[in-house]
Amino acid sequence: MNIVDEIEKENMKEKAPQCKVGDLVDVHVKTVEGEKERIQVFNGTVISKKGSGNRITITVRRVVQGEGVERVFPIHSPNIVKIVVKKSHKIRRAKLYYLRDRKGKSARLKEIRKRVKKTSKSDQTVPVVADEEAVEAEATPAEATKTKKTAKKTEKTAKAEKAPKAKAKAKAKKKDEKPSTES
């Protein structure tokens, strides 16, 4: 094995983020301002991917206030915290440089929608094993939502009961206020 290959393997991330050309991504970049470090998010469409090994780079493009902005990110850089894929688009080219010349509707890409398998209700609810005392002391989320719903229902019924009484009082006042035509 070559010395350069060994050094490259040392600098590669164990879990490299997976993204393709045409994906809408959020790139979380570590920025240093003075002594403080913060994470800045750059979101846009991946228009190219090139390189191999630990030199893989992606070019991300977005439009800000009518102006196109592109940034090149090395995937294995320690400054890249994570890359989150928000959407995937159907593309027919390896590089999407033609998006630079387009704007508005002509710059749109067709989204690939992934199907989610429907599961039964028994698969969705997972039994939680905890201390019996803690379970008794705290209400489960389902019970908490039920109590909120019942509280809302009691408020509605109380308002509904007050409403007819208020209407009856208003009618009685109108009858009293009518001037008599007998004179």
Side-chain angles (χ1 to χ4, degrees):
M1 196 183 259
N2 195 356
I3 297 172
V4 175
D5 292 336
E6 290 178 11
I7 294 172
E8 282 183 1
K9 280 192 176 182
E10 290 174 9
N11 294 328
M12 287 179 74
K13 290 183 179 179
E14 292 176 10
K15 291 186 178 181
Q18 299 296 318
C19 63
K20 302 179 299 202
V21 175
D23 287 350
L24 183 69
V25 294
D26 281 347
V27 183
H28 297 256
V29 184
K30 198 183 304 179
T31 58
V32 179
E33 297 172 343
E35 296 177 3
K36 294 183 181 180
E37 263 188 18
R38 67 182 180 90
I39 294 175
Q40 185 174 11
V41 180
F42 186 88
N43 58 344
T45 305
V46 178
I47 62 168
S48 75
K49 189 173 184 179
K50 56 185 166 184
S52 63
N54 72 341
R55 293 170 292 216
I56 297 174
T57 61
I58 58 171
T59 304
V60 181
R61 176 182 174 79
R62 73 174 179 180
V63 179
V64 180
Q65 297 179 354
E67 192 71 29
V69 178
E70 292 182 9
R71 283 185 68 181
V72 179
F73 297 103
I75 288 184
H76 292 283
S77 169
N79 291 333
I80 304 296
V81 178
K82 64 180 175 178
I83 297 176
V84 180
V85 178
K86 294 168 79 176
K87 291 182 185 178
S88 293
H89 294 99
K90 181 180 177 181
I91 57 162
R92 297 169 65 182
R93 297 165 194 251
K95 309 280 192 250
L96 302 180
Y97 295 141
Y98 68 91
L99 291 176
R100 294 173 177 164
D101 301 329
R102 297 190 181 187
K103 53 185 167 182
K105 286 188 175 183
S106 64
R108 289 186 303 180
L109 299 171
K110 187 171 183 179
E111 183 181 347
I112 298 172
R113 297 203 176 168
K114 296 178 183 172
R115 291 186 180 176
V116 178
K117 290 184 180 179
K118 293 182 180 178
T119 57
S120 65
K121 290 184 179 179
S122 61
D123 293 342
Q124 292 175 354
T125 56
V126 179
V128 177
V129 179
D131 294 336
E132 291 180 17
E133 297 170 10
V135 172
E136 291 173 8
E138 297 178 10
T140 61
E143 291 174 0
T145 54
K146 285 180 185 177
T147 56
K148 288 179 183 177
K149 287 180 183 177
T150 54
K152 287 181 181 179
K153 286 182 182 178
T154 54
E155 288 176 16
K156 287 182 181 178
T157 54
K159 288 180 182 178
E161 290 173 2
K162 291 179 183 177
K165 292 178 183 177
K167 287 180 183 178
K169 287 182 181 179
K171 286 182 182 179
K173 285 184 181 179
K174 284 182 181 177
K175 287 181 182 177
D176 293 337
E177 292 175 3
K178 285 185 181 179
S180 59
T181 52
E182 300 172 11
S183 315

